[in-house]
Amino acid sequence: MGMPPSGGTLMIFNRAGQERLGHVVFIAAAAAVGGFLFGYDSAVVNGAVVGIQNHFRVGPVETGVVVAIALLGSAAGAWTGGRLADQLGRTRSMQVAALLFMISSIGQMLPFTVWDLGFWRVIAGFAIGMASMLAPAYIAEVAPPAYRGRLGSFQQLAIVLGIAVSQLVNYVIASIAGGNVSNHLGPLQAWQWMLGACAIPALLYLLLALKLPESPRYLIMSGRTRQVREVLTEIEGEDVDLDERIAEIQHVVRAEGVPGMKDLRGPALGLLPIVWIGITLSAFQQFVGINVIFYYSTVLWQSVGINQSESLLISFSSSIINIIGTLIAMALVDKIGRKPLLMIGSVGMTIALATTAWAFSAARVTGGRVTLPDPQGLIALVSANTFVLFFALSWGVVVWVLLGEMFPNRIRAAALGVAAAAQWLANWLISVSFPALAEWNLPLTYAGYTVMALLSFIFVARWIRETKGRKLEEMG
């Protein structure tokens, strides 16, 4: 009869397991730096918008195009990133994305005209589009099943951290420049340093990607079985039946094949109903106007009488609230469910946006200076940040959770790609239209976002099915 393991043996085993888990957490966090770049680049232009307008003497239409054009590059990067990852590998594709991001950051820092600035923003968008889909795919493929959900949430957390850090960097640079982003710091203006600072997290991403093990799934697709054994031992431990795990992955790779658009065809305007639900869910996430806060909040607060330095600080505080909301969502999504959380978020966003629209309607113009009287100024600030909080604790996280769960296995990859592309395009539409709409009528613009938030509640109540606790095989 065998003796039970001694306390010392158990301690060694537990320590080994904890070290292995810590290593996997590091791998997931390193991969999620791609999400950090996504958030950082999305928000860094917020602080540079006024400087770009002053330097190139452009109006709201040109500004909207330059800010939002990166999103078209992101859509292209997300669309092609999957194929590139299957050809070059997951980690090599991350390295390509990091290099593109570094080069584009330097290009954005040293533009000759507003249009070559737009070109470099397209390249940056392509890189973050790649990174945004590579990170969750890679994490899902290397994470042990027991920790996949929690490790997968690193991506969204990294995005909101990237937004917050970029706002803080913008504030520091503007403060050093005397509170004006058009002031010079050495040979360049402050807004140029803001855009050039993006190269630093890109370099970190490149260095980390060089250290990451390749995905077991890709290695099997490439026929590199010996390396698969090394990676699986590294992330799952020596006590795992490697032959069984390799056979399991080989079976899944053979069974899945490569899904395409033909698999999504159905009777509802050419697509399956579930695909349209995913597209609409993605679109509503952007149509409530959330990225207006992160792309244009500095301009927004200046338009109602707040100076540049203070507006950058307010933008940073919004990013902190975004992080808090994301952590709340991560804690609640598996407890109260996806659908209730979305509906709570829709109600909160509708009330907050309606309040913001009302507050902005009280803006006064005196001697060419726009101000908000008391108490509307404080109400606008509180309601805008309340909107950010309700979005973050609901639609910001839950939409990505649902898109990963709601589609049947057979079409999941293809349908997710279409829904993600729809999200990038909706983001682009909102971002490119905001400067002109805000100049036309800021209160009515926010009233439009309010209507979208209200419609999002009706859409969720009518069309979204709860996925909490259901097997993936039951979806669709």
Side-chain angles (χ1 to χ4, degrees), residues 320-396:
I320 298 300
I321 291 170
N322 194 23
I323 294 172
I324 293 170
T326 299
L327 294 173
I328 293 172
M330 291 168 63
L332 295 180
V333 68
D334 285 324
K335 293 183 179 179
I336 70 174
R338 285 67 161 145
K339 186 170 181 175
L341 207 51
L342 285 178
M343 296 175 74
I344 291 170
S346 293
V347 171
M349 290 190 300
T350 300
I351 296 172
L353 286 168
T355 305
T356 305
W358 169 80
F360 284 150
S361 68
R364 298 172 182 171
V365 180
T366 306
R369 179 178 173 81
V370 183
T371 59
L372 274 179
D374 292 328
Q376 282 88 347
L378 178 60
I379 291 173
L381 180 60
V382 173
S383 60
N385 281 318
T386 301
F387 164 59
V388 171
L389 177 64
F390 274 98
F391 177 88
L393 64 81
S394 58
W395 285 76

Side-chain angles (χ1 to χ4, degrees), residues 243-430:
D243 291 330
E244 182 180 347
R245 286 289 289 120
I246 291 172
E248 180 184 3
I249 298 173
Q250 288 174 331
H251 174 73
V252 171
V253 169
R254 285 194 298 266
E256 284 186 351
V258 181
M261 282 298 298
K262 65 180 185 300
D263 300 302
L264 307 183
R265 292 174 185 165
L269 299 176
L271 293 174
L272 294 169
I274 190 66
V275 178
W276 280 117
I277 291 174
I279 290 172
T280 307
L281 187 71
S282 287
F284 267 125
Q285 190 199 50
Q286 299 303 317
F287 284 163
V288 297
I290 185 62
N291 280 315
V292 165
I293 298 292
F294 295 115
Y295 295 169
Y296 296 110
S297 61
T298 302
V299 177
L300 177 65
W301 295 119
Q302 288 179 54
S303 73
V304 293
I306 296 173
N307 65 43
Q308 282 190 12
S309 182
E310 289 178 349
S311 66
L312 287 167
L313 186 59
I314 292 172
S315 297
F316 175 66
S317 67
S318 297
S319 298
I320 298 300
I321 291 170
N322 194 23
I323 294 172
I324 293 170
T326 299
L327 294 173
I328 293 172
M330 291 168 63
L332 295 180
V333 68
D334 285 324
K335 293 183 179 179
I336 70 174
R338 285 67 161 145
K339 186 170 181 175
L341 207 51
L342 285 178
M343 296 175 74
I344 291 170
S346 293
V347 171
M349 290 190 300
T350 300
I351 296 172
L353 286 168
T355 305
T356 305
W358 169 80
F360 284 150
S361 68
R364 298 172 182 171
V365 180
T366 306
R369 179 178 173 81
V370 183
T371 59
L372 274 179
D374 292 328
Q376 282 88 347
L378 178 60
I379 291 173
L381 180 60
V382 173
S383 60
N385 281 318
T386 301
F387 164 59
V388 171
L389 177 64
F390 274 98
F391 177 88
L393 64 81
S394 58
W395 285 76
V397 170
V398 177
V399 167
W400 286 109
V401 173
L402 276 173
L403 290 178
E405 296 175 336
M406 64 189 290
F407 302 115
N409 283 333
R410 182 177 57 86
I411 64 167
R412 180 167 293 116
L416 182 53
V418 170
Q423 190 172 127
W424 283 114
L425 292 174
N427 191 343
W428 172 80
L429 181 62
I430 292 296

Side-chain angles (χ1 to χ4, degrees), residues 155-202:
Q155 169 78 349
Q156 180 64 20
L157 184 59
I159 291 173
V160 297
L161 286 172
I163 292 173
V165 170
S166 70
Q167 302 285 23
L168 180 59
V169 170
N170 284 352
Y171 173 70
V172 170
I173 291 175
S175 297
I176 295 172
N180 191 327
V181 297
S182 295
N183 288 345
H184 276 80
L185 288 175
L188 303 177
Q189 293 180 3
W191 66 267
Q192 293 176 275
W193 288 113
M194 290 176 179
L195 297 179
C198 297
I200 297 174

